[in-house]
Amino acid sequence: MNLRNSLSLTGALISASVVLAPMGSAAPTPGDPGVSKDMAAPLTEYVMERDGKSQAQAERYLAVKDDKQETLQTLEKRGVGVDGAWFEGTQLVVGVPRTDAAQVRAAGLRPETASSQSELDSLAEKVLEHAGKDSAHVLTVGANLPDGVVDVRLAEDAPRGLRHRLDAMDKVSVSTGEALTTQADVVPGRIMDLSPGTNCSLGYPGRLSNGDNVLLTAGHCVEGLPAILDGNGTHIGEGVHTRFHSGSSSVDMGLMDIDSEDTGVPQVDSRGHSGYYGVKGMSKNAIGSEICKAGNTTGWTCGEITAYNKTVNYGGTVVSGLAEASVCTEGGDSGGAYIGVGNLAQGMTSGGPVGANCGWNQGHNAGSYSFFQPVVDAANYYGVTIDTVS
């Protein structure tokens, strides 16, 4: 399927998000001076700024959402057929079949039986089929679960007939997106120089079942399986696999093998904004959950998760399975770590719109939107258990 060249691959770039240190060297820990002691969670300050809450109020608000997210995970483990979830304030709404509605309600969550992620994902596929030869004018397409529709962004020069055809489809919402082109900045940086010639960001470190030290990153960062150096030019690993293939239908996940003398440190660096945050696990937090990312170009920017299973285009490479967030990114942020409520790893920066102007360390004030590769999907695909703090 050929979509219009529309979104920036904010990568082949760097963001120094999760720390990588030589084996045996001193690395940041929650007790170190570089780690914020009064901000127990990475999203506390964001909620304080966004909502005008005190620190105590923000912490209570996030604790409520964290508790409900944990309740949802418990229900899934019990076999409840969860098919999408989203927050309305602090109320967690869960898409489920009618047979599971009572169990969801008894757990203090709100069941929704009329709208589901899988239903909207199927409709998104039909939108692309319906666009046919005009699909080059489709910028992005994917589920808007809270509204129960599929959102479609069309280029400004899209044929009027295409807009009319898509407008006529039930549960499809059509808007016009920015005129976008692909972009790849080369930004020197601290962590992950690719040899030859470009830079990218470390994602989340972990281990394979055989104990091998590896790192999950954006697939386009390791296309070509490059040697990987740190900012000082020291070899720290090799790209060993990618599902991103330029010009082909792709998934933006990849794997780096970490050299045996080095070790991944599961702490997200907020780029001088508010310290380091220990990773306590991984999750696909519900839509509407707060989320922040670290990036080399824009630093610490925050927003909310807005969608899963989005299909986007990077210069003729159609990438599926991405999540969308109202988090600002620019060229240079690719691979940066997204961390969410509960200090849970969410994903790695994949891309975003060209022309975004995020500033530096602007939190939620940056605006715009971006796409990330969910870390859960990448870890499951590669059989990686991500490293966490104790």
Side-chain angles (χ1 to χ4, degrees):
M1 190 65 64
N2 181 27
L3 301 180
R4 181 183 177 82
N5 291 0
S6 59
L7 296 174
S8 165
L9 198 62
T10 50
L13 314 168
I14 175 166
S15 79
S17 52
V18 175
V19 181
L20 189 71
M23 186 71 75
S25 70
T29 66
D32 286 347
V35 180
S36 174
K37 297 178 181 178
D38 61 343
M39 304 295 281
L43 299 161
T44 306
E45 184 173 316
Y46 164 47
V47 172
M48 291 169 64
E49 294 174 349
R50 184 193 65 185
D51 299 343
K53 295 180 184 292
S54 67
Q55 181 172 329
Q57 289 171 329
E59 288 173 349
R60 285 196 296 272
Y61 168 87
L62 290 168
V64 169
K65 298 186 87 167
D66 190 20
D67 286 345
K68 292 190 174 180
Q69 188 75 42
E70 289 183 2
T71 298
L72 178 63
Q73 291 171 347
T74 299
L75 289 172
E76 288 182 289
K77 290 176 182 177
R78 291 177 182 170
V80 171
V82 175
D83 195 359
W86 65 96
F87 278 102
E88 294 181 359
T90 57
Q91 176 62 64
L92 185 54
V93 185
V94 185
V96 289
R98 293 185 184 277
T99 52
D100 290 335
Q103 194 173 169
V104 170
R105 191 177 293 109
L109 310 183
R110 196 177 86 205
E112 171 58 62
T113 59
S115 181
S116 71
Q117 182 76 44
S118 59
E119 173 195 10
L120 294 175
D121 289 346
S122 295
L123 180 56
E125 293 179 6
K126 292 178 181 177
V127 167
L128 288 174
E129 292 172 2
H130 205 53
K133 62 181 179 62
D134 292 324
S135 63
H137 298 280
V138 178
L139 302 179
T140 66
V141 59
N144 178 336
L145 192 53
D147 289 346
V149 300
V150 167
D151 282 339
V152 182
R153 291 186 182 101
L154 293 181
E156 291 182 358
D157 62 351
R160 187 173 301 175
L162 173 62
R163 180 178 293 274
H164 288 165
R165 292 201 310 275
L166 299 185
D167 274 332
M169 296 181 70
D170 188 35
K171 294 187 177 182
V172 173
S173 175
V174 182
S175 63
T176 300
E178 305 165 67
L180 305 172
T181 59
T182 58
Q183 179 185 44
D185 296 341
V186 177
V187 183
R190 166 187 167 202
I191 294 289
M192 188 176 175
D193 288 343
L194 310 181
S195 179
T198 57
N199 306 90
C200 223
S201 160
L202 287 175
Y204 285 99
R207 298 178 187 278
L208 296 173
S209 59
N210 63 4
D212 193 18
N213 243 357
V214 295
L215 186 99
L216 295 165
T217 187
H220 67 269
C221 292
V222 289
E223 189 177 20
L225 308 183
I228 297 170
L229 318 175
D230 68 10
N232 297 318
T234 302
H235 191 284
I236 58 174
E238 302 274 349
V240 292
H241 192 273
T242 181
R243 296 182 69 190
F244 185 94
H245 304 288
S246 296
S248 302
S249 295
S250 289
V251 178
D252 200 7
M253 62 175 70
L255 195 66
M256 163 189 164
D257 182 62
I258 299 174
D259 290 343
S260 59
E261 66 270 21
D262 299 318
T263 184
V265 180
Q267 303 219 357
V268 176
D269 178 357
S270 73
R271 303 311 303 250
H273 184 265
S274 49
Y276 293 80
Y277 296 106
V279 178
K280 297 181 179 179
M282 64 178 181
S283 175
K284 281 186 175 180
N285 281 358
I287 291 166
S289 294
E290 288 76 12
I291 188 171
C292 292
K293 79 97 191 68
N296 185 69
T297 301
T298 64
W300 192 247
T301 56
C302 302
E304 291 81 45
I305 300 169
T306 57
Y308 285 106
N309 291 342
K310 281 284 184 129
T311 297
V312 302
N313 172 70
Y314 297 129
T317 305
V318 178
V319 178
S320 59
L322 297 178
E324 183 173 348
S326 58
V327 173
C328 198
T329 63
E330 294 183 36
D333 287 329
S334 216
Y338 288 67
I339 187 167
V341 176
N343 282 49
L344 297 174
Q346 298 299 305
M348 296 79 69
T349 301
S350 176
V354 175
N357 185 8
C358 308
W360 174 258
N361 279 352
Q362 290 298 302
H364 74 289
N365 296 312
S368 194
Y369 63 96
S370 59
F371 299 96
F372 64 92
Q373 168 60 55
V375 69
V376 168
D377 294 342
N380 289 343
Y381 181 84
Y382 287 116
V384 172
T385 300
I386 70 165
D387 293 337
T388 59
V389 294
S390 56

